[in-house]
């Protein structure tokens, strides 16, 4: 089980989406040829709707119960204690952030903290240059996001502007 959790945790922290994680797991099951079903034990895996749903359900359960709850809580406690002991507000290599935000990319984490979903933040990081500006240590979103060709990014950016207008309120000289 630990190897399985490690694989899922690694894929999650590398920023892979659910679709990618599920596709990999289904391919793995097909290659292995077996599937464990509680009460029945190990059976031959067939790529039927029922077997695929069992695999998908198992992945969602592990992501939710083990990774996003148990491991996340463990690393949150560790992170809080580390910050308290060392008198810092943040530190490099904070696994709590990596698990919570599903990535090790700091820009993607920052975009999520500003209000974007994981998917939109990943899109922005890989497709939009200068999406975030730092001024006196404070991050500001580039207004070009309000007109993004990606519908979800555009929608989320406008929601952020409505709910947190200061996220776009950077000094005029920045443009």
């Amino acid at each position: 089980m630990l190897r399985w959790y490690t694989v899922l945790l690694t894929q999650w922290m590398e920023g892979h989406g659910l679709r990618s994680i599920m596709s990999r797991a289904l391919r793995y099951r097909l290659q292995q040829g077996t599937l464990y079903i509680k009460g029945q034990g190990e059976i031959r895996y067939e790529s039927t709707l029922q077997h695929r749903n069992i695999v998908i359900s198992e992945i969602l359960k592990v992501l939710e119960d083990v990774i996003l709850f148990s491991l996340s809580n463990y690393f949150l406690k560790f992170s809080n204690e580390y910050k308290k002991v060392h008198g810092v507000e943040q530190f490099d290599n904070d696994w709590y952030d990596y698990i919570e935000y599903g990535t090790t990319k700091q820009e993607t984490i920052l975009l999520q903290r500003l209000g974007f979903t994981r998917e939109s933040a990943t899109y922005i990081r890989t497709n939009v240059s200068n999406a975030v500006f730092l001024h006196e240590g404070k991050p500001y979103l580039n207004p070009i996001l309000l007109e993004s060709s990606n519908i979800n990014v555009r929608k989320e950016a406008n929601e952020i502007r409505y709910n947190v207008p200061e996220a776009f309120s950077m000094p005029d000289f920045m443009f």
Side-chain angles (χ1 to χ4, degrees):
M1 289 306 288
L2 286 178
R3 281 184 40 207
W4 172 238
Y5 295 163
T6 303
V7 168
L8 285 178
L9 177 62
T10 302
Q11 289 178 6
W12 179 256
M13 289 185 352
E14 287 175 348
H16 294 282
L18 285 175
R19 181 183 177 120
S20 171
I21 293 170
M22 306 260 182
S23 294
R24 289 177 182 198
L26 291 170
R27 279 194 309 270
Y28 177 79
R29 281 287 139 230
L30 197 57
Q31 289 171 350
Q32 290 301 110
T34 60
L35 176 67
Y36 178 82
I37 298 179
K38 192 174 185 175
Q40 294 181 22
E42 199 168 79
I43 64 167
R44 178 176 149 76
Y45 177 78
E46 298 170 10
S47 190
T48 64
L49 182 60
Q50 181 185 14
H51 284 189
R52 289 191 309 267
N53 282 341
I54 290 169
V55 172
I56 290 169
S57 174
E58 179 183 324
I59 291 168
L60 292 174
K61 184 170 177 39
V62 170
L63 282 173
E64 184 69 26
D65 296 347
V66 177
I67 293 173
L68 293 175
F69 183 75
S70 297
L71 287 176
S72 181
N73 282 336
Y74 170 80
F75 283 111
L76 175 61
K77 289 175 187 174
F78 173 84
S79 181
N80 288 338
E81 286 302 312
Y82 183 90
K83 290 172 186 175
K84 193 181 336 176
V85 167
H86 294 281
V88 296
E89 288 186 33
Q90 288 186 329
F91 62 95
D92 293 336
N93 201 25
D94 188 343
W95 275 54
Y96 170 72
D97 281 348
Y98 300 161
I99 293 171
E100 182 69 18
Y101 295 104
T103 184
T104 57
K105 308 288 187 206
Q106 291 302 316
E107 185 179 9
T108 305
I109 292 171
L110 176 61
L111 287 163
Q112 288 182 69
R113 284 183 176 153
L114 290 168
F116 287 98
T117 61
R118 180 173 176 242
E119 293 75 17
S120 291
T122 300
Y123 174 86
I124 293 167
R125 182 182 53 78
T126 57
N127 295 291
V128 180
S129 58
N130 300 321
V132 178
F133 295 100
L134 290 176
H135 177 65
E136 296 179 358
K138 185 173 179 184
Y140 294 95
L141 294 170
N142 191 330
I144 63 168
L145 297 171
L146 298 167
E147 304 299 325
S148 175
S149 59
N150 182 300
I151 295 168
N152 292 329
V153 169
R154 185 173 60 241
K155 179 181 172 225
E156 291 173 26
N158 281 287
E159 287 174 3
I160 293 167
R161 183 179 66 172
Y162 179 77
N163 292 308
V164 191
E166 61 273 12
F168 286 95
S169 302
M170 65 182 114
D172 290 333
F173 68 84
M174 303 268 318
F175 296 106

